[in-house]
Amino acid sequence: MKVLTILLQSVLLMSALAVSGQVVYAGGHDHGGEAEAVEEKGPNGGKLLREGNIAAEITVFETGVPPEMRVFIYRDDQLLSPEEGKLSMELHRIDGQVDQISFKAEGDYLRGEQTVVEPHSYDVVVRLRVQGKAYEWKYESHEGRSLINDAMAKASGIETDIAGPQTLDITRQLFGVIEVPIDRQAGIYAPYPSVLEQIHVAIGDKVQAGQKIATLRNIKTLQRYNVKAPIGGEVVEWMASIGQRVDENSLARVVDLSKVWVEMSAFPEDIEQLALGQPVRVADMHQHEIAPGEIIYIAPQMTGGHIARARALIDNGNGHWRPGMHVKADIRTAQRDVELAVRNEALQGFRDFTVVFGRFGDQFEVRMLELGQSDGEYTEVLGGLKPGTEYATKNSFIIKADVLKDGAAHDH
């Protein structure tokens, strides 16, 4: 079903593109149906820019060093000494930022003195002066872009959010078992030697406190009397049958399962993080049901296996949480305010990075992130994204697929 949903979303997106009369290629270029010209490459594999008999080969070098521009200068296709040229470069990014790159001679090339930050996606202006003559080139170098307007985004179910401050809930996960609270179970006894004459409720019946449970006859006085439920709850057990003599032994057991305990096992490093009153989020092992609660007890000592018991109380009005059920519990041990965070559903893998796709008008562009702590819903962003950036959340994988459909080459 998930695969079918993805296919349908892709069809909707491509249909919207067809209606708009545009063909969108990886990188977000609109080629209007015409074949893209093959750009000329230089001897070092870089983009070759020509004017007259002067040429500049633009490369981005990132092997063992932060990404940097390296430019080779040629006259009549012969490599010139880098000291013969004076070079500057502007990188105009989609969000309006302009990176100024200055160069100095090194080896047989001019090396950029500023790191070229990811993504390597920009409109480039190159200014070169050789022997007193000025040359200027402009070109596009886009990666990780996709052109998707509002109609296309709506058709494919793409949603966005604004990156900004967030309070992270720092949690610790423990495993446990559902148990009946001691104060919510009661045994029903005969007060004196009697014969059980009549049972008024069956196992599984719900009873109210004070409700008649059984009728007995006192063996000594032969008088009949009734026993009643001391608490409201569910009858879970009968230990006697009609006609049986009962003395002080238990007749039945009633439990109130409207609230239950979550008995959790905690190692020493867990116990150090726990405190009474901490919020707990309990889930069954298949994540079918989730219930909130709080820590009500932490054992004062460890067992022989160096495990301590921690206990939470949760509501069980719908009866989902059955005694003996194994569960897992996320305990909020702290809260932390961070300056910038994004939703986890927005995160995608792209090359060797974890990314989100920022929205800039009708275009989405990849943003490589440096990430910090996560609470399962939001993740702290330490770098790679500006505060206030609109970014794709739901169905962001569709944007990634559009970017990658013609290959994911990191080409400069």
Side-chain angles (χ1 to χ4, degrees), residues 75-108:
R75 182 195 296 119
D76 297 323
D77 293 327
Q78 298 299 311
L79 184 64
L80 295 178
S81 169
E83 285 82 1
E84 295 188 48
K86 185 176 182 180
L87 182 69
S88 67
M89 189 178 296
E90 294 177 357
L91 308 180
H92 295 254
R93 297 184 180 271
I94 195 172
D95 62 357
Q97 176 178 318
V98 179
D99 298 342
Q100 303 284 347
I101 309 294
S102 57
F103 291 81
K104 69 177 182 179
E106 182 176 287
D108 58 355

Short mmCIF file of all heavy atoms in Angstrom, two decimals, residues 75-108:
data_model
loop_
_atom_site.label_atom_id
_atom_site.label_comp_id
_atom_site.label_asym_id
_atom_site.label_seq_id
_atom_site.Cartn_x
_atom_site.Cartn_y
_atom_site.Cartn_z
N ARG A 75 46.29 30.78 -21.88
CA ARG A 75 46.33 31.63 -23.07
C ARG A 75 46.68 30.73 -24.24
O ARG A 75 47.70 30.02 -24.20
CB ARG A 75 47.37 32.75 -22.96
CG ARG A 75 47.37 33.67 -24.20
CD ARG A 75 48.60 34.56 -24.30
NE ARG A 75 48.66 35.51 -23.19
CZ ARG A 75 49.67 35.54 -22.32
NH1 ARG A 75 50.66 34.67 -22.40
NH2 ARG A 75 49.68 36.43 -21.35
N ASP A 76 45.84 30.74 -25.28
CA ASP A 76 46.01 29.86 -26.43
C ASP A 76 46.18 28.41 -25.98
O ASP A 76 47.03 27.66 -26.49
CB ASP A 76 47.23 30.30 -27.26
CG ASP A 76 47.05 31.69 -27.83
OD1 ASP A 76 45.91 32.02 -28.23
OD2 ASP A 76 48.04 32.45 -27.87
N ASP A 77 45.34 28.04 -24.96
CA ASP A 77 45.31 26.69 -24.41
C ASP A 77 46.61 26.27 -23.72
O ASP A 77 46.82 25.08 -23.45
CB ASP A 77 44.95 25.65 -25.49
CG ASP A 77 43.51 25.83 -25.98
OD1 ASP A 77 42.66 26.23 -25.17
OD2 ASP A 77 43.25 25.57 -27.17
N GLN A 78 47.45 27.24 -23.42
CA GLN A 78 48.66 26.96 -22.67
C GLN A 78 48.52 27.53 -21.26
O GLN A 78 48.09 28.66 -21.08
CB GLN A 78 49.87 27.60 -23.37
CG GLN A 78 50.14 27.08 -24.77
CD GLN A 78 50.43 25.58 -24.77
OE1 GLN A 78 51.27 25.10 -23.99
NE2 GLN A 78 49.76 24.84 -25.65
N LEU A 79 48.87 26.71 -20.27
CA LEU A 79 48.71 27.10 -18.87
C LEU A 79 49.61 28.27 -18.54
O LEU A 79 50.81 28.25 -18.81
CB LEU A 79 49.02 25.92 -17.95
CG LEU A 79 48.80 26.14 -16.45
CD1 LEU A 79 47.33 26.40 -16.15
CD2 LEU A 79 49.30 24.91 -15.67
N LEU A 80 49.03 29.33 -17.93
CA LEU A 80 49.78 30.48 -17.50
C LEU A 80 50.15 30.35 -16.03
O LEU A 80 49.49 29.65 -15.25
CB LEU A 80 48.96 31.77 -17.69
CG LEU A 80 48.61 32.18 -19.12
CD1 LEU A 80 47.76 33.44 -19.09
CD2 LEU A 80 49.87 32.38 -19.95
N SER A 81 51.20 31.06 -15.65
CA SER A 81 51.53 31.14 -14.23
C SER A 81 50.41 31.88 -13.52
O SER A 81 49.90 32.89 -14.02
CB SER A 81 52.85 31.90 -14.06
OG SER A 81 53.06 32.20 -12.68
N PRO A 82 49.97 31.42 -12.32
CA PRO A 82 48.86 32.08 -11.62
C PRO A 82 49.17 33.53 -11.26
O PRO A 82 48.25 34.33 -11.10
CB PRO A 82 48.66 31.22 -10.38
CG PRO A 82 49.94 30.49 -10.18
CD PRO A 82 50.48 30.26 -11.56
N GLU A 83 50.47 33.89 -11.17
CA GLU A 83 50.82 35.27 -10.85
C GLU A 83 50.45 36.23 -11.97
O GLU A 83 50.38 37.45 -11.75
CB GLU A 83 52.32 35.39 -10.57
CG GLU A 83 52.76 34.85 -9.21
CD GLU A 83 52.96 33.34 -9.21
OE1 GLU A 83 52.77 32.71 -10.29
OE2 GLU A 83 53.27 32.78 -8.14
N GLU A 84 50.16 35.71 -13.17
CA GLU A 84 49.81 36.58 -14.30
C GLU A 84 48.35 37.02 -14.28
O GLU A 84 47.95 37.88 -15.07
CB GLU A 84 50.12 35.87 -15.62
CG GLU A 84 51.59 35.58 -15.85
CD GLU A 84 51.86 35.07 -17.25
OE1 GLU A 84 51.35 35.70 -18.21
OE2 GLU A 84 52.55 34.04 -17.37
N GLY A 85 47.55 36.43 -13.40
CA GLY A 85 46.13 36.77 -13.36
C GLY A 85 45.69 37.28 -12.00
O GLY A 85 46.26 36.90 -10.96
N LYS A 86 44.70 38.14 -12.00
CA LYS A 86 44.05 38.60 -10.78
C LYS A 86 42.59 38.22 -10.88
O LYS A 86 41.91 38.58 -11.85
CB LYS A 86 44.22 40.11 -10.63
CG LYS A 86 43.65 40.65 -9.30
CD LYS A 86 43.92 42.13 -9.13
CE LYS A 86 43.39 42.62 -7.80
NZ LYS A 86 43.63 44.08 -7.60
N LEU A 87 42.09 37.50 -9.89
CA LEU A 87 40.77 36.86 -10.01
C LEU A 87 39.91 37.16 -8.79
O LEU A 87 40.39 37.21 -7.66
CB LEU A 87 40.94 35.34 -10.15
CG LEU A 87 39.68 34.50 -10.35
CD1 LEU A 87 39.07 34.77 -11.73
CD2 LEU A 87 40.01 33.02 -10.20
N SER A 88 38.62 37.36 -9.02
CA SER A 88 37.62 37.41 -7.96
C SER A 88 36.36 36.70 -8.45
O SER A 88 36.16 36.54 -9.66
CB SER A 88 37.29 38.85 -7.55
OG SER A 88 36.65 39.53 -8.61
N MET A 89 35.52 36.28 -7.51
CA MET A 89 34.34 35.51 -7.89
C MET A 89 33.20 35.83 -6.93
O MET A 89 33.43 36.07 -5.73
CB MET A 89 34.67 34.00 -7.85
CG MET A 89 33.61 33.10 -8.43
SD MET A 89 34.12 31.35 -8.37
CE MET A 89 35.55 31.36 -9.45
N GLU A 90 31.98 35.84 -7.45
CA GLU A 90 30.77 36.00 -6.64
C GLU A 90 29.89 34.77 -6.83
O GLU A 90 29.66 34.33 -7.96
CB GLU A 90 29.99 37.25 -7.04
CG GLU A 90 30.70 38.55 -6.75
CD GLU A 90 29.90 39.76 -7.25
OE1 GLU A 90 28.83 39.54 -7.86
OE2 GLU A 90 30.35 40.90 -7.03
N LEU A 91 29.40 34.23 -5.73
CA LEU A 91 28.46 33.10 -5.75
C LEU A 91 27.12 33.62 -5.25
O LEU A 91 26.95 33.90 -4.06
CB LEU A 91 28.97 31.96 -4.87
CG LEU A 91 30.40 31.48 -5.12
CD1 LEU A 91 30.76 30.35 -4.16
CD2 LEU A 91 30.59 31.06 -6.57
N HIS A 92 26.15 33.78 -6.16
CA HIS A 92 24.83 34.28 -5.82
C HIS A 92 23.91 33.10 -5.50
O HIS A 92 23.58 32.31 -6.40
CB HIS A 92 24.27 35.11 -6.97
CG HIS A 92 25.04 36.36 -7.24
ND1 HIS A 92 24.57 37.62 -6.89
CD2 HIS A 92 26.26 36.57 -7.81
CE1 HIS A 92 25.47 38.54 -7.24
NE2 HIS A 92 26.51 37.93 -7.81
N ARG A 93 23.51 33.01 -4.25
CA ARG A 93 22.71 31.86 -3.83
C ARG A 93 21.22 32.17 -3.92
O ARG A 93 20.80 33.33 -4.00
CB ARG A 93 23.10 31.44 -2.42
CG ARG A 93 24.56 30.97 -2.35
CD ARG A 93 24.93 30.46 -0.98
NE ARG A 93 26.32 30.01 -0.94
CZ ARG A 93 26.72 28.76 -1.23
NH1 ARG A 93 25.84 27.84 -1.58
NH2 ARG A 93 28.01 28.44 -1.15
N ILE A 94 20.41 31.10 -3.86
CA ILE A 94 18.97 31.20 -4.11
C ILE A 94 18.27 32.05 -3.05
O ILE A 94 17.22 32.65 -3.33
CB ILE A 94 18.35 29.79 -4.19
CG1 ILE A 94 16.95 29.86 -4.80
CG2 ILE A 94 18.34 29.12 -2.83
CD1 ILE A 94 16.36 28.49 -5.09
N ASP A 95 18.84 32.14 -1.86
CA ASP A 95 18.20 32.92 -0.78
C ASP A 95 18.66 34.36 -0.75
O ASP A 95 18.34 35.11 0.18
CB ASP A 95 18.46 32.25 0.58
CG ASP A 95 19.94 32.19 0.93
OD1 ASP A 95 20.78 32.61 0.11
OD2 ASP A 95 20.26 31.70 2.03
N GLY A 96 19.42 34.80 -1.79
CA GLY A 96 19.88 36.17 -1.86
C GLY A 96 21.27 36.41 -1.30
O GLY A 96 21.85 37.48 -1.50
N GLN A 97 21.83 35.44 -0.63
CA GLN A 97 23.18 35.58 -0.08
C GLN A 97 24.20 35.59 -1.22
O GLN A 97 24.08 34.83 -2.18
CB GLN A 97 23.49 34.44 0.88
CG GLN A 97 24.91 34.45 1.43
CD GLN A 97 25.14 33.34 2.42
OE1 GLN A 97 24.29 33.05 3.27
NE2 GLN A 97 26.30 32.69 2.33
N VAL A 98 25.21 36.44 -1.11
CA VAL A 98 26.29 36.51 -2.09
C VAL A 98 27.61 36.23 -1.38
O VAL A 98 27.99 36.96 -0.45
CB VAL A 98 26.35 37.89 -2.79
CG1 VAL A 98 27.51 37.93 -3.79
CG2 VAL A 98 25.03 38.20 -3.48
N ASP A 99 28.29 35.17 -1.80
CA ASP A 99 29.59 34.82 -1.23
C ASP A 99 30.69 35.42 -2.12
O ASP A 99 30.72 35.17 -3.33
CB ASP A 99 29.77 33.30 -1.17
CG ASP A 99 28.75 32.63 -0.28
OD1 ASP A 99 28.12 33.33 0.53
OD2 ASP A 99 28.56 31.40 -0.40
N GLN A 100 31.54 36.22 -1.51
CA GLN A 100 32.66 36.83 -2.22
C GLN A 100 33.90 35.94 -2.04
O GLN A 100 34.29 35.63 -0.91
CB GLN A 100 32.95 38.22 -1.67
CG GLN A 100 31.77 39.19 -1.72
CD GLN A 100 31.52 39.72 -3.12
OE1 GLN A 100 32.35 39.57 -4.02
NE2 GLN A 100 30.37 40.37 -3.31
N ILE A 101 34.50 35.52 -3.16
CA ILE A 101 35.67 34.65 -3.12
C ILE A 101 36.87 35.42 -3.69
O ILE A 101 36.81 35.91 -4.82
CB ILE A 101 35.47 33.36 -3.94
CG1 ILE A 101 34.15 32.66 -3.55
CG2 ILE A 101 36.66 32.42 -3.77
CD1 ILE A 101 34.13 32.13 -2.14
N SER A 102 37.90 35.55 -2.87
CA SER A 102 39.16 36.15 -3.34
C SER A 102 40.17 35.03 -3.55
O SER A 102 40.04 33.94 -2.99
CB SER A 102 39.68 37.17 -2.32
OG SER A 102 39.85 36.56 -1.05
N PHE A 103 41.20 35.31 -4.36
CA PHE A 103 42.15 34.26 -4.75
C PHE A 103 43.58 34.72 -4.57
O PHE A 103 43.90 35.91 -4.63
CB PHE A 103 41.92 33.89 -6.23
CG PHE A 103 40.63 33.18 -6.50
CD1 PHE A 103 39.43 33.89 -6.62
CD2 PHE A 103 40.59 31.80 -6.61
CE1 PHE A 103 38.24 33.24 -6.86
CE2 PHE A 103 39.40 31.14 -6.85
CZ PHE A 103 38.22 31.86 -6.98
N LYS A 104 44.43 33.72 -4.35
CA LYS A 104 45.87 33.98 -4.32
C LYS A 104 46.57 32.86 -5.08
O LYS A 104 46.05 31.74 -5.19
CB LYS A 104 46.37 34.09 -2.90
CG LYS A 104 46.35 32.79 -2.10
CD LYS A 104 46.94 33.00 -0.72
CE LYS A 104 46.97 31.68 0.08
NZ LYS A 104 47.57 31.87 1.42
N ALA A 105 47.74 33.16 -5.60
CA ALA A 105 48.50 32.18 -6.38
C ALA A 105 49.02 31.07 -5.48
O ALA A 105 49.50 31.31 -4.37
CB ALA A 105 49.66 32.87 -7.08
N GLU A 106 48.90 29.84 -5.99
CA GLU A 106 49.42 28.68 -5.28
C GLU A 106 49.72 27.60 -6.31
O GLU A 106 48.82 27.20 -7.08
CB GLU A 106 48.42 28.17 -4.24
CG GLU A 106 48.94 26.99 -3.43
CD GLU A 106 47.97 26.56 -2.34
OE1 GLU A 106 47.84 27.29 -1.34
OE2 GLU A 106 47.31 25.50 -2.52
N GLY A 107 50.94 27.10 -6.35
CA GLY A 107 51.29 26.09 -7.35
C GLY A 107 51.09 26.63 -8.75
O GLY A 107 51.55 27.72 -9.09
N ASP A 108 50.31 25.89 -9.57
CA ASP A 108 50.03 26.36 -10.93
C ASP A 108 48.59 26.84 -11.09
O ASP A 108 48.04 26.86 -12.19
CB ASP A 108 50.33 25.24 -11.95
CG ASP A 108 49.52 23.97 -11.67
OD1 ASP A 108 48.82 23.94 -10.64
OD2 ASP A 108 49.62 23.03 -12.47
#
